[in-house]
Amino acid sequence: MPPVVLALRRLPSPRLTGLGAGLFASAVMLAVGLLDLLLLDGSPVVYGLLFLPVSALTALWVRTADLVTAPIGVPIAFAVGVVPVAGGTGGLGGQAMAVVTALAVHAGWLYGGTLVAGLIASVRKVREMGRRQQRTRTATGTTGTTRTTGSAAPVAKSAKAAKAR
């Protein structure tokens, strides 16, 4: 196996609920925003670059049943974390305008992270549907071939006849 695949398999694989994934992403992005403000004086490029892996981890760690929440939760997390980076002045109104401006100016990072989460969640969902279909085929004993004529009744008769032999 390639070393990248082996390294990825060694990563933890927690399964977060939809709410847990949103809280995880929001908490991490708030921490990233605060660290970015303290260390780099609120660099939006660093904040955006760090948003992409957080989006990927959120989509990878959410439970299969809650996959639809990953592309919904990461933009909210971006907005939560951009508050310290926005740097507004003049009270609550000035801070709100700075956050709205930062969201508009850095929409590319926001869309990129949402796209990453959406793609990962979609791939995971398609793979899960394939596994479920494979389990169903295995449980029913079919091989996946379909008949073009006839109905289910002759198939059942032939299966009974095969068991009787």
Side-chain angles (χ1 to χ4, degrees), residues 59-158:
L60 286 171
W61 288 351
V62 71
R63 292 185 318 177
T64 307
D66 297 328
L67 278 172
V68 72
T69 62
I72 296 169
V74 294
I76 296 169
F78 186 88
V80 167
V82 84
V83 172
V85 177
T89 58
L92 185 61
Q95 184 68 30
M97 285 304 297
V99 168
V100 169
T101 302
L103 288 173
V105 171
H106 307 298
W109 293 113
L110 179 60
Y111 293 149
T114 305
L115 181 66
V116 166
L119 286 174
I120 290 173
S122 296
V123 168
R124 285 187 58 204
K125 184 64 175 178
V126 167
R127 290 183 69 202
E128 177 60 29
M129 288 176 5
R131 281 189 212 114
R132 187 178 305 143
Q133 190 177 26
Q134 185 64 30
R135 283 193 301 261
T136 304
R137 284 183 190 151
T138 305
T140 59
T142 60
T143 60
T145 59
T146 58
R147 293 177 54 161
T148 57
T149 60
S151 65
V155 174
K157 287 183 181 180
S158 64

Side-chain angles (χ1 to χ4, degrees), residues 14-111:
R15 290 293 169 225
L16 302 171
T17 63
L19 179 61
L23 290 174
F24 161 75
S26 296
V28 170
M29 288 313 299
L30 183 61
V32 165
L34 290 171
L35 286 173
D36 186 19
L37 178 65
L38 290 174
L39 299 176
L40 302 168
D41 201 29
S43 171
V45 173
V46 171
Y47 180 78
L49 282 173
L50 292 174
F51 174 63
L52 298 177
V54 170
S55 298
L57 286 176
T58 302
L60 286 171
W61 288 351
V62 71
R63 292 185 318 177
T64 307
D66 297 328
L67 278 172
V68 72
T69 62
I72 296 169
V74 294
I76 296 169
F78 186 88
V80 167
V82 84
V83 172
V85 177
T89 58
L92 185 61
Q95 184 68 30
M97 285 304 297
V99 168
V100 169
T101 302
L103 288 173
V105 171
H106 307 298
W109 293 113
L110 179 60
Y111 293 149

